[in-house]
C-alpha cells in the first residue's frame, strides 16, 4: 500500500500555480497505482477531509479585501480542506490539533484545490473503463455534518 502522505507530498500553497503543480505531481503518482490502491487512496482522502470537518474551521471567514469578509459556503469549506491536505501532513496535523493556520487555505486562490477530489477517480476510470465506487463511512455527501456543529 502506498503511504497517503507520501503521495500527497507538501506544497507551500502560496498561489494557484503551486496548487496546480501539487495536483499534477499527485496525479503522476496516482497513475502508477492499481485500481485497488486508488480506491484506498480515496477512502483515506475522505477520512482526512472528515477529520478536519470542524465548526471552528468552517467559521473562518473568506477575506476578499481589507475589511471585506464573507462566510465560507459548504463548497468553499470543502475546497479549503482540500488545500489544507495539499499543504502536507505537517500543516494538516497542525490545523487538526490547534486550528491555527487554516485561514490561508480559505484564500480564494486555494479553491483550485478542489481538483484533489477527482484525481484518483479519474485515474481509476482510465485504468478500468468504469467509474469508481467507494463504500466509506466518510462520504463527500455527508461532509456537511460538521463535527461539533450540533453543540
Amino acid at each position: 500500500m502506498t503511504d497517503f502522505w507520501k503521495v500527497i507530498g507538501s506544497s507551500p500553497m502560496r498561489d494557484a500555480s503551486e496548487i496546480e503543480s501539487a495536483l499534477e505531481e499527485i496525479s503522476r503518482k496516482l497513475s502508477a497505482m492499481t485500481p485497488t490502491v486508488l480506491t484506498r487512496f480515496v477512502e483515506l482522502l475522505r477520512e482526512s477531509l472528515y477529520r478536519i470537518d470542524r465548526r471552528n474551521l468552517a467559521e473562518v471567514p473568506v477575506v476578499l479585501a481589507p475589511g471585506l469578509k464573507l462566510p465560507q459556503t459548504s463548497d468553499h469549506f470543502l475546497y479549503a480542506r482540500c488545500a489544507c491536505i495539499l499543504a502536507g501532513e505537517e500543516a494538516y496535523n497542525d490545523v487538526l490539533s490547534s486550528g491555527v493556520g487554516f485561514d490561508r487555505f480559505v484564500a480564494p486562490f486555494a479553491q483550485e484545490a478542489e481538483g484533489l477530489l477527482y484525481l484518483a477517480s479519474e485515474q481509476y476510470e482510465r485504468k478500468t473503463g468504469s467509474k469508481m465506487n467507494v463504500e466509506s463511512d466518510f462520504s463527500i455527501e455527508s461532509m456537511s455534518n460538521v463535527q461539533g456543529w450540533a453543540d
Side-chain angles (χ1 to χ4, degrees), residues 125-138:
E125 196 167 335
R126 281 188 192 110
K127 290 177 182 290
T128 67
S130 61
K131 296 211 180 277
M132 181 185 285
N133 185 17
V134 177
E135 297 293 325
S136 173
D137 293 334
F138 308 106

Side-chain angles (χ1 to χ4, degrees), residues 2-41:
T2 303
D3 179 34
F4 177 79
W5 290 109
K6 284 185 181 172
V7 174
I8 295 295
S10 64
S11 171
M13 301 295 296
R14 293 178 296 229
D15 59 35
S17 69
E18 288 178 346
I19 293 172
E20 185 178 328
S21 294
L23 292 174
E24 288 172 2
E25 180 62 17
I26 292 167
S27 182
R28 186 189 63 73
K29 291 175 184 176
L30 292 173
S31 71
M33 295 180 183
T34 66
T36 301
V37 176
L38 290 167
T39 301
R40 182 65 183 141
F41 178 86

